[in-house]
Amino acid sequence: AQTVTQSQPEMSVQEAETVTLSCTYDTSESNYYLFWYKQPPSRQMILVIRQEAYKQQNATENRFSVNFQKAAKSFSLKISDSQLGDTAMYFCAFMKTGANSKLTFGKGITLSVRP
Amino acid sequence: DAGVIQSPRHEVTEMGQEVTLRCKPISGHNSLFWYRQTMMRGLELLIYFNNNVPIDDSGMPEDRFSAKMPNASFSTLKIQPSEPRDSAVYFCASSRPGGRGQPQHFGDGTRLSIL
């Protein structure tokens, strides 16, 4: 079974600064997918970024990028130029390849962006 | 394109009553997932469907919970009888076919309060 660990329950960052959210996972699979989802106070679950494990290049979406370290089973999210709208809970998630695959979520981390 | 549509957005009812939550997945998505989110347990997968067929219902808490997907565009999650500990936010999500790490797209959730 897969597990996803987000050990930091809360973080805070000054507006315009950079912050990194940590995530580790445990799996015996060699090929899989990793995701970060954002849940703002409005409670929507919004996909932030997706990484394919067989791709060495780290995924990037505008101000969001990941540091994917497959050997270390680490998948951190970097938010550059933090904005007030980035205040949210962030969930790391794992998915095996193959049909009928489901997401395994971490517990989430609450990020507060200070003005 | 319309996203995943859930109804109602909020539901408040008394203990013992039947509760029905509804979900319309994104057109063309063949996988549908029901999650429950609480402060104590985080995001839990209750059940998921592939091509309208339940694949894994191991997350359904007990016999009081049931889910159906009569066609590709509609699913229900029913709780009967409801209990105060069922109070939570319930999310529905859908994803495209393919088994290649297709991201799940979430609805806005139903906040359920059982008094």
Side-chain angles (χ1 to χ4, degrees):
Chain A
Q2 286 67 231
T3 58
V4 178
T5 302
Q6 295 179 255
S7 55
Q8 309 152 304
E10 294 182 11
M11 287 193 75
S12 179
V13 64
Q14 193 74 33
E15 192 176 9
E17 297 292 307
T18 294
V19 64
T20 298
L21 311 182
S22 301
C23 173
T24 58
Y25 58 93
D26 190 23
T27 184
S28 58
E29 303 286 327
S30 58
N31 204 12
Y32 47 85
Y33 301 87
L34 296 162
F35 304 83
W36 279 97
Y37 278 85
K38 167 185 176 180
Q39 186 177 38
S42 63
R43 85 166 182 245
Q44 292 172 296
M45 288 286 287
I46 302 164
L47 176 66
V48 175
I49 203 163
R50 171 181 176 272
Q51 174 79 41
E52 300 176 49
Y54 60 86
K55 287 190 176 177
Q56 293 185 339
Q57 186 173 8
N58 289 324
T60 299
E61 288 288 340
N62 301 315
R63 297 182 296 106
F64 298 87
S65 61
V66 299
N67 183 5
F68 173 48
Q69 302 287 330
K70 191 172 184 180
K73 296 180 182 174
S74 169
F75 183 60
S76 59
L77 176 69
K78 185 171 85 170
I79 307 173
S80 304
D81 185 24
S82 297
Q83 300 176 359
L84 297 179
D86 296 333
T87 292
M89 197 149 186
Y90 287 81
F91 294 91
C92 178
F94 173 100
M95 180 191 289
K96 292 192 304 182
T97 55
N100 302 331
S101 288
K102 55 187 180 181
L103 279 173
T104 300
F105 283 93
K107 294 286 187 189
I109 175 172
T110 300
L111 175 68
S112 299
V113 180
R114 304 185 305 273
Chain B
D1 286 341
V4 175
I5 300 172
Q6 290 187 247
S7 64
R9 185 150 171 84
H10 305 276
E11 174 91 9
V12 181
T13 193
E14 292 192 346
M15 172 179 173
Q17 297 297 306
E18 178 178 292
V19 173
T20 299
L21 311 182
R22 297 173 176 80
C23 175
K24 177 179 169 55
I26 294 172
S27 177
H29 286 194
N30 76 329
S31 294
L32 184 139
F33 306 81
W34 282 102
Y35 291 89
R36 178 172 67 176
Q37 185 179 32
T38 60
M39 290 290 290
M40 291 295 293
R41 301 172 70 93
L43 265 169
E44 303 173 275
L45 177 65
L46 300 177
I47 185 171
Y48 72 99
F49 296 84
N50 221 25
N51 295 319
N52 312 339
V53 176
I55 301 300
D56 183 352
D57 65 355
S58 59
M60 295 286 262
E62 47 197 274
D63 291 346
R64 297 184 298 106
F65 285 68
S66 62
K68 292 183 180 179
M69 192 164 186
N71 56 61
S73 58
F74 184 66
S75 177
T76 59
L77 177 68
K78 190 172 291 187
I79 309 172
Q80 166 64 15
S82 57
E83 297 182 3
R85 61 192 166 120
D86 302 330
S87 298
V89 178
Y90 291 81
F91 286 101
C92 176
S94 69
S95 67
R96 291 179 186 279
R100 295 175 65 84
Q102 300 294 342
Q104 293 178 18
H105 299 264
F106 285 73
D108 288 344
T110 294
R111 181 176 295 280
L112 178 63
S113 299
I114 307 296
L115 307 177

